[in-house]
Amino acid sequence: MSDKKLGVRFSEDVRQPAEMDQALARKLFDEGAVLILKDVPPATEFGIDTHSWNTGEKFLGVKMIPPGLHFIYYSAVNTKFRDTAPRSGIFHWFKKGELIAFRWDARTETLVDDISQQDKDNMKQDLKNLDHRLGAYPYQSYNKWLMLSSRIKKEKMEKLVPDEKIISSVTEMVNNPQSTDPDNLPDLTPRPGTSINYTQLSKHRCPPNPTATEITKHHMDRSYQLELFIQELGSAQDVLAELQFSFLCFLVGQNYGSFEHWKALVDLLCGCADSLIRHPKLFQDFITDLYFQMVEIPPDFFVDIVSQNNFLVRALTNFFENVRETKEVDSVLKSKAQRFENCVSKKFGWSFCDDADEENLPVVVELPAA
């Protein structure tokens, strides 16, 4: 997928702010968090959650931020050549009434966290005088953000973010000092501290010492692989937290590695049969989350996702077939999956037939001669 395609713009960018109830506005003014950004050049692309804009001369930050998880991101803009730098961003769990502050470093074109606590305290005391330079949080898109991030708890966010905290659309690569390539060819690896700490899927799709029947079964049903993943995470709901986190990192953070991880998780969940019986709530919530994600992906970007070997169509075809054909699946899950299939078929014009493709054909195992 091209970098251009990853340059996602959201519909809210061009909308006028919605009128806010006065009681809510007062509550957010009193209890909302404040983000101060010093020395940010005019025209810099800046965003919070699913809303982005270009900064003006007097821009100093954002006020009235609801407590909880938010994603702050930015890109330097060369106004002379109309070039936009790769996007960088950070997740932050805002406390009620909290003030955080960053400074723009002109040399690196990044936000740096080097403002003293004393300066932050002074800013908080002087908020009335700074208020006219602070933009209000785009509350009209807050419900959308909650739908896309509701499973991500503070502890999970802190575990997933890179050690250096910055999520970048461009991976900084360095030569691997542990490389043992006999031809001394470059062995590039992400610079330590810059990778998102995703939980890796097990490469084992079968239990140890599987029979021929088990090999065939687990090639068609990825439940064993999902159970290993759940064990690694600690809970079934953490699967959805990681799904949401990777989705936000690729959609808003423009991080391509997160796109690949999101695809892998969707493919894993859609490929399960036995786990539908063990974890009905997980799959009911998966349907909800995937629906909101599909709705919020901008149309041109969505075409790119679908066109990659028809990834999403194939995955959902597999999922709907598993729900239909797996006995003892919870009736609520069956009903929700049927409504989801009907909705997606109508909205996107997709047909989820059960024609076998090469990848989903049964595995033929040759047993050693007796």
Coordinates of all heavy atoms in Angstrom, one line a residue, residues 190-254:
P190 N 14.2 -2.6 12.7 CA 13.7 -1.3 13.3 C 14.7 -0.9 14.4 O 15.1 -1.7 15.2 CB 12.3 -1.6 13.8 CG 11.9 -2.8 12.9 CD 13.1 -3.6 12.6
R191 N 14.9 0.4 14.5 CA 15.8 0.9 15.6 C 15.2 0.5 16.9 O 14.0 0.7 17.1 CB 16.0 2.4 15.4 CG 16.9 3.0 16.5 CD 17.2 4.5 16.2 NE 16.1 5.3 16.2 CZ 15.5 5.8 17.3 NH1 16.0 5.5 18.5 NH2 14.5 6.6 17.2
P192 N 16.0 0.0 17.8 CA 15.4 -0.4 19.1 C 14.7 0.8 19.8 O 15.1 1.9 19.8 CB 16.7 -0.7 19.9 CG 17.7 -1.1 18.9 CD 17.4 -0.3 17.7
G193 N 13.5 0.4 20.4 CA 12.7 1.4 21.1 C 11.6 2.1 20.2 O 10.8 2.8 20.7
T194 N 11.6 1.8 18.9 CA 10.6 2.4 18.0 C 9.5 1.5 17.6 O 8.5 2.0 17.0 CB 11.4 2.9 16.7 OG1 11.9 1.8 16.0 CG2 12.5 3.9 17.1
S195 N 9.6 0.2 17.9 CA 8.5 -0.7 17.4 C 7.4 -0.8 18.4 O 7.6 -0.7 19.6 CB 9.1 -2.1 17.3 OG 10.1 -2.2 16.2
I196 N 6.2 -0.9 17.9 CA 5.0 -1.1 18.7 C 5.1 -2.5 19.3 O 5.4 -3.5 18.6 CB 3.7 -0.9 17.9 CG1 3.7 0.6 17.4 CG2 2.5 -1.1 18.8 CD1 2.5 0.8 16.4
N197 N 4.7 -2.7 20.6 CA 4.9 -4.0 21.2 C 3.7 -4.9 21.1 O 3.1 -5.3 22.1 CB 5.2 -3.7 22.7 CG 6.5 -2.9 22.9 OD1 7.6 -3.2 22.4 ND2 6.4 -1.8 23.7
Y198 N 3.4 -5.2 19.8 CA 2.3 -6.1 19.6 C 2.6 -7.5 20.1 O 3.8 -8.0 20.0 CB 1.9 -6.2 18.1 CG 1.3 -4.9 17.6 CD1 1.8 -4.2 16.5 CD2 0.2 -4.4 18.2 CE1 1.3 -3.0 16.0 CE2 -0.4 -3.2 17.7 CZ 0.1 -2.5 16.7 OH -0.5 -1.4 16.2
T199 N 1.6 -8.2 20.5 CA 1.7 -9.6 20.9 C 1.8 -10.5 19.6 O 0.9 -10.4 18.8 CB 0.5 -10.1 21.7 OG1 0.4 -9.2 22.8 CG2 0.8 -11.5 22.3
Q200 N 2.8 -11.3 19.4 CA 3.0 -12.0 18.2 C 2.1 -13.3 18.2 O 1.9 -13.9 19.2 CB 4.4 -12.4 18.0 CG 5.4 -11.2 17.9 CD 5.0 -10.3 16.7 OE1 4.8 -10.8 15.6 NE2 4.8 -9.0 17.0
L201 N 1.5 -13.6 17.1 CA 0.7 -14.8 16.9 C 1.6 -16.0 16.9 O 2.7 -15.9 16.3 CB -0.1 -14.7 15.7 CG -1.2 -13.7 15.5 CD1 -1.9 -13.8 14.2 CD2 -2.2 -13.8 16.7
S202 N 1.2 -17.1 17.5 CA 2.0 -18.3 17.5 C 2.0 -18.8 16.0 O 1.0 -18.7 15.3 CB 1.4 -19.3 18.4 OG 2.0 -20.6 18.2
K203 N 3.1 -19.4 15.6 CA 3.2 -20.0 14.3 C 2.7 -21.4 14.3 O 2.5 -22.0 13.2 CB 4.7 -20.0 13.9 CG 5.3 -18.6 13.7 CD 6.7 -18.6 13.2 CE 7.3 -17.2 13.0 NZ 8.7 -17.3 12.6
H204 N 2.4 -21.9 15.5 CA 1.9 -23.3 15.6 C 0.4 -23.3 15.4 O -0.4 -22.8 16.3 CB 2.3 -23.9 16.9 CG 3.8 -23.9 17.1 ND1 4.6 -24.7 16.4 CD2 4.5 -23.2 18.0 CE1 5.9 -24.5 16.8 NE2 5.9 -23.6 17.7
R205 N -0.1 -23.9 14.4 CA -1.6 -24.0 14.2 C -2.1 -25.3 14.7 O -3.4 -25.5 14.7 CB -1.9 -23.8 12.7 CG -1.6 -22.4 12.2 CD -2.0 -22.2 10.7 NE -3.4 -22.3 10.5 CZ -4.0 -21.7 9.4 NH1 -3.3 -21.0 8.6 NH2 -5.3 -21.9 9.2
C206 N -1.2 -26.2 15.1 CA -1.7 -27.5 15.6 C -1.0 -27.8 17.0 O 0.1 -27.3 17.3 CB -1.3 -28.6 14.7 SG -1.9 -28.5 13.0
P207 N -1.6 -28.7 17.8 CA -1.0 -29.1 19.0 C 0.3 -29.9 18.7 O 0.5 -30.3 17.6 CB -2.0 -30.0 19.7 CG -3.3 -29.7 19.0 CD -2.9 -29.2 17.6
P208 N 1.1 -30.1 19.7 CA 2.3 -30.9 19.5 C 2.0 -32.4 19.0 O 0.9 -32.9 19.5 CB 3.0 -31.0 20.8 CG 2.5 -29.8 21.5 CD 1.1 -29.6 21.1
N209 N 2.8 -32.9 18.2 CA 2.6 -34.3 17.7 C 1.2 -34.6 17.2 O 0.5 -35.5 17.6 CB 2.9 -35.3 18.8 CG 4.3 -35.1 19.3 OD1 5.3 -34.9 18.6 ND2 4.4 -35.1 20.7
P210 N 0.7 -33.8 16.2 CA -0.7 -33.9 15.7 C -0.8 -35.2 14.8 O 0.1 -35.6 14.2 CB -0.9 -32.7 14.9 CG 0.5 -32.3 14.4 CD 1.4 -32.7 15.5
T211 N -2.0 -35.7 14.9 CA -2.4 -36.8 13.9 C -2.7 -36.2 12.6 O -2.9 -34.9 12.5 CB -3.6 -37.6 14.4 OG1 -4.7 -36.7 14.5 CG2 -3.3 -38.2 15.8
A212 N -2.8 -37.0 11.6 CA -3.2 -36.5 10.2 C -4.6 -35.8 10.3 O -4.8 -34.7 9.7 CB -3.2 -37.7 9.2
T213 N -5.5 -36.3 11.1 CA -6.8 -35.7 11.2 C -6.7 -34.4 11.8 O -7.4 -33.4 11.4 CB -7.7 -36.6 12.0 OG1 -7.8 -37.9 11.4 CG2 -9.1 -36.0 12.1
E214 N -5.9 -34.2 12.9 CA -5.7 -33.0 13.6 C -5.1 -31.9 12.7 O -5.4 -30.7 12.7 CB -4.9 -33.2 14.8 CG -5.6 -33.9 15.9 CD -4.7 -34.2 17.1 OE1 -3.5 -34.3 16.9 OE2 -5.2 -34.2 18.3
I215 N -4.1 -32.3 11.8 CA -3.5 -31.4 10.9 C -4.5 -30.8 10.0 O -4.6 -29.6 9.8 CB -2.4 -32.1 10.1 CG1 -1.2 -32.4 11.1 CG2 -1.9 -31.1 9.0 CD1 -0.1 -33.2 10.4
T216 N -5.4 -31.7 9.4 CA -6.4 -31.2 8.6 C -7.4 -30.3 9.3 O -7.8 -29.2 8.8 CB -7.2 -32.4 8.0 OG1 -6.3 -33.2 7.2 CG2 -8.3 -31.9 7.0
K217 N -7.8 -30.7 10.5 CA -8.8 -29.9 11.2 C -8.2 -28.5 11.6 O -8.9 -27.5 11.4 CB -9.1 -30.6 12.6 CG -9.9 -29.8 13.5 CD -10.2 -30.5 14.8 CE -10.7 -29.6 15.9 NZ -11.9 -28.9 15.5
H218 N -7.0 -28.4 12.1 CA -6.5 -27.2 12.5 C -6.0 -26.3 11.4 O -5.8 -25.1 11.6 CB -5.3 -27.4 13.5 CG -5.8 -28.0 14.8 ND1 -6.6 -27.3 15.7 CD2 -5.6 -29.2 15.4 CE1 -6.8 -28.0 16.7 NE2 -6.2 -29.2 16.6
H219 N -5.9 -26.8 10.2 CA -5.6 -26.0 9.0 C -6.9 -25.2 8.7 O -6.8 -24.1 8.2 CB -5.1 -26.8 7.8 CG -4.8 -26.0 6.6 ND1 -3.7 -25.3 6.4 CD2 -5.6 -25.7 5.5 CE1 -3.7 -24.6 5.3 NE2 -4.9 -24.8 4.7
M220 N -8.0 -25.9 8.9 CA -9.3 -25.2 8.5 C -9.9 -24.4 9.7 O -10.7 -23.6 9.4 CB -10.3 -26.3 8.1 CG -9.8 -27.1 6.9 SD -10.9 -28.4 6.4 CE -12.3 -27.4 5.7
D221 N -9.5 -24.8 10.9 CA -10.1 -24.1 12.1 C -8.9 -23.6 12.9 O -8.1 -24.4 13.5 CB -10.9 -25.1 12.9 CG -11.5 -24.5 14.2 OD1 -11.3 -23.3 14.4 OD2 -12.1 -25.2 14.9
R222 N -8.8 -22.2 13.0 CA -7.7 -21.7 13.7 C -7.9 -21.4 15.2 O -7.2 -20.6 15.9 CB -7.3 -20.3 13.0 CG -6.9 -20.5 11.6 CD -6.5 -19.2 10.9 NE -5.3 -18.7 11.5 CZ -4.7 -17.5 11.2 NH1 -5.3 -16.8 10.2 NH2 -3.6 -17.1 11.7
S223 N -8.8 -22.2 15.8 CA -9.2 -22.0 17.2 C -8.0 -22.3 18.1 O -7.8 -21.6 19.1 CB -10.4 -22.9 17.6 OG -11.5 -22.5 16.9
Y224 N -7.2 -23.3 17.8 CA -6.0 -23.6 18.6 C -5.1 -22.4 18.7 O -4.6 -22.1 19.8 CB -5.3 -24.9 18.1 CG -4.0 -25.2 18.8 CD1 -4.1 -25.8 20.1 CD2 -2.8 -24.9 18.3 CE1 -2.9 -26.2 20.8 CE2 -1.6 -25.2 19.0 CZ -1.7 -25.8 20.2 OH -0.6 -26.1 20.9
Q225 N -4.9 -21.8 17.6 CA -4.0 -20.6 17.5 C -4.5 -19.5 18.3 O -3.8 -18.7 19.0 CB -3.8 -20.2 16.0 CG -2.5 -19.4 15.7 CD -2.3 -19.2 14.3 OE1 -3.2 -19.4 13.4 NE2 -1.2 -18.7 13.9
L226 N -5.9 -19.3 18.2 CA -6.5 -18.2 19.0 C -6.4 -18.5 20.5 O -6.1 -17.6 21.3 CB -8.0 -18.1 18.6 CG -8.8 -17.1 19.4 CD1 -8.2 -15.6 19.3 CD2 -10.3 -17.1 19.0
E227 N -6.6 -19.7 20.9 CA -6.5 -20.0 22.3 C -5.1 -19.8 22.8 O -4.9 -19.3 24.0 CB -6.8 -21.5 22.6 CG -8.3 -21.9 22.2 CD -9.3 -21.0 23.0 OE1 -9.0 -20.7 24.2 OE2 -10.4 -20.8 22.4
L228 N -4.0 -20.1 22.0 CA -2.7 -19.7 22.4 C -2.5 -18.2 22.6 O -1.8 -17.7 23.5 CB -1.7 -20.3 21.4 CG -1.5 -21.8 21.3 CD1 -0.5 -22.2 20.2 CD2 -1.1 -22.4 22.7
F229 N -3.1 -17.5 21.7 CA -3.0 -16.0 21.7 C -3.7 -15.4 22.9 O -3.2 -14.5 23.6 CB -3.6 -15.4 20.4 CG -3.4 -14.0 20.2 CD1 -2.1 -13.5 20.0 CD2 -4.4 -13.1 20.1 CE1 -1.8 -12.1 19.8 CE2 -4.2 -11.7 19.9 CZ -2.9 -11.3 19.7
I230 N -4.8 -16.0 23.3 CA -5.6 -15.5 24.5 C -4.8 -15.8 25.7 O -4.7 -15.0 26.6 CB -7.0 -16.2 24.5 CG1 -7.8 -15.7 23.4 CG2 -7.6 -16.0 25.9 CD1 -9.2 -16.4 23.3
Q231 N -4.1 -17.0 25.8 CA -3.3 -17.4 26.9 C -2.1 -16.4 27.1 O -1.8 -16.0 28.2 CB -2.7 -18.8 26.8 CG -3.8 -19.9 26.9 CD -3.2 -21.3 26.7 OE1 -2.0 -21.5 26.8 NE2 -4.0 -22.2 26.3
E232 N -1.6 -16.0 25.9 CA -0.4 -15.1 26.0 C -0.9 -13.7 26.5 O -0.2 -13.0 27.2 CB 0.2 -14.9 24.5 CG 1.4 -14.0 24.4 CD 2.6 -14.6 25.0 OE1 2.7 -15.8 25.3 OE2 3.5 -13.8 25.3
L233 N -2.1 -13.3 26.0 CA -2.6 -11.9 26.4 C -3.1 -11.9 27.9 O -3.0 -10.9 28.6 CB -3.7 -11.5 25.5 CG -3.3 -11.2 24.0 CD1 -4.5 -11.0 23.2 CD2 -2.5 -9.9 24.0
G234 N -3.7 -13.0 28.3 CA -4.3 -13.1 29.6 C -5.8 -13.0 29.7 O -6.4 -13.5 30.6
S235 N -6.5 -12.5 28.6 CA -7.9 -12.5 28.5 C -8.4 -12.4 27.1 O -7.7 -11.9 26.2 CB -8.5 -11.4 29.4 OG -8.4 -10.1 28.7
A236 N -9.6 -12.9 26.9 CA -10.2 -12.9 25.5 C -10.4 -11.4 25.1 O -10.3 -11.1 23.9 CB -11.5 -13.7 25.5
Q237 N -10.9 -10.6 26.0 CA -11.2 -9.2 25.7 C -9.9 -8.4 25.2 O -10.0 -7.4 24.5 CB -11.8 -8.5 26.8 CG -13.3 -8.9 27.0 CD -14.2 -8.6 25.8 OE1 -14.2 -7.5 25.3 NE2 -14.9 -9.6 25.3
D238 N -8.7 -8.8 25.7 CA -7.5 -8.2 25.3 C -7.2 -8.4 23.8 O -6.5 -7.6 23.2 CB -6.3 -8.7 26.1 CG -6.1 -7.9 27.4 OD1 -6.8 -6.9 27.5 OD2 -5.3 -8.3 28.2
V239 N -7.8 -9.4 23.2 CA -7.7 -9.6 21.7 C -8.3 -8.4 21.0 O -7.7 -7.9 20.1 CB -8.4 -10.9 21.3 CG1 -8.3 -11.1 19.8 CG2 -7.8 -12.1 22.0
L240 N -9.5 -8.0 21.5 CA -10.2 -6.9 20.9 C -9.5 -5.5 21.2 O -9.5 -4.6 20.3 CB -11.6 -6.8 21.3 CG -12.4 -8.1 21.0 CD1 -13.9 -7.9 21.5 CD2 -12.4 -8.3 19.5
A241 N -8.9 -5.4 22.3 CA -8.1 -4.2 22.7 C -6.9 -4.1 21.7 O -6.7 -3.0 21.2 CB -7.6 -4.3 24.1
E242 N -6.3 -5.2 21.4 CA -5.1 -5.1 20.5 C -5.6 -4.9 19.0 O -5.0 -4.2 18.2 CB -4.3 -6.4 20.6 CG -2.9 -6.3 19.9 CD -1.9 -7.1 20.6 OE1 -1.9 -7.2 21.9 OE2 -1.0 -7.6 19.9
L243 N -6.8 -5.4 18.7 CA -7.4 -5.2 17.4 C -7.7 -3.7 17.2 O -7.4 -3.1 16.2 CB -8.7 -6.0 17.3 CG -9.4 -5.9 15.9 CD1 -8.7 -6.7 14.9 CD2 -10.9 -6.3 16.1
Q244 N -8.3 -3.1 18.3 CA -8.6 -1.6 18.2 C -7.4 -0.8 18.1 O -7.3 0.2 17.4 CB -9.5 -1.2 19.4 CG -10.9 -1.7 19.3 CD -11.8 -1.0 20.4 OE1 -11.3 -0.5 21.4 NE2 -13.1 -1.0 20.2
F245 N -6.4 -1.1 18.9 CA -5.1 -0.4 19.0 C -4.4 -0.4 17.6 O -4.0 0.7 17.1 CB -4.2 -0.9 20.1 CG -3.0 0.0 20.4 CD1 -3.1 1.0 21.3 CD2 -1.8 -0.2 19.7 CE1 -2.0 1.8 21.6 CE2 -0.7 0.6 20.0 CZ -0.8 1.6 20.9
S246 N -4.3 -1.6 17.0 CA -3.6 -1.7 15.7 C -4.4 -0.9 14.6 O -3.9 -0.3 13.8 CB -3.4 -3.1 15.3 OG -4.7 -3.8 15.3
F247 N -5.8 -1.0 14.7 CA -6.6 -0.3 13.8 C -6.4 1.2 13.8 O -6.2 1.9 12.8 CB -8.1 -0.6 14.0 CG -9.0 0.2 13.1 CD1 -9.3 -0.3 11.8 CD2 -9.7 1.3 13.5 CE1 -10.1 0.4 10.9 CE2 -10.5 2.0 12.6 CZ -10.7 1.5 11.4
L248 N -6.4 1.8 15.1 CA -6.1 3.2 15.2 C -4.7 3.6 14.8 O -4.5 4.7 14.2 CB -6.4 3.6 16.7 CG -7.8 3.5 17.2 CD1 -7.9 3.8 18.7 CD2 -8.7 4.5 16.4
C249 N -3.8 2.8 15.1 CA -2.4 3.1 14.7 C -2.2 3.2 13.2 O -1.4 4.0 12.7 CB -1.4 2.1 15.3 SG -1.1 2.4 17.1
F250 N -2.9 2.3 12.4 CA -2.7 2.4 11.0 C -3.7 3.4 10.4 O -3.3 4.1 9.4 CB -2.9 1.0 10.3 CG -4.3 0.6 9.9 CD1 -4.9 1.2 8.8 CD2 -5.0 -0.4 10.5 CE1 -6.1 0.9 8.3 CE2 -6.3 -0.8 10.1 CZ -6.9 -0.1 9.0
L251 N -4.9 3.6 10.9 CA -5.8 4.5 10.3 C -5.4 6.0 10.6 O -5.4 6.8 9.8 CB -7.2 4.2 10.8 CG -8.3 5.1 10.0 CD1 -8.4 4.6 8.6 CD2 -9.6 5.0 10.8
V252 N -5.2 6.3 11.9 CA -4.9 7.6 12.3 C -3.4 7.9 12.4 O -2.9 8.9 12.0 CB -5.5 7.9 13.7 CG1 -5.4 9.4 14.0 CG2 -7.0 7.5 13.7
G253 N -2.6 6.9 12.9 CA -1.2 7.0 12.9 C -0.4 6.7 11.6 O 0.8 7.0 11.5
Q254 N -1.1 6.2 10.7 CA -0.6 5.8 9.3 C 0.6 4.9 9.4 O 1.6 4.9 8.7 CB -0.2 7.1 8.6 CG -1.3 8.1 8.4 CD -0.9 9.3 7.6 OE1 0.2 9.5 7.3 NE2 -1.9 10.2 7.4

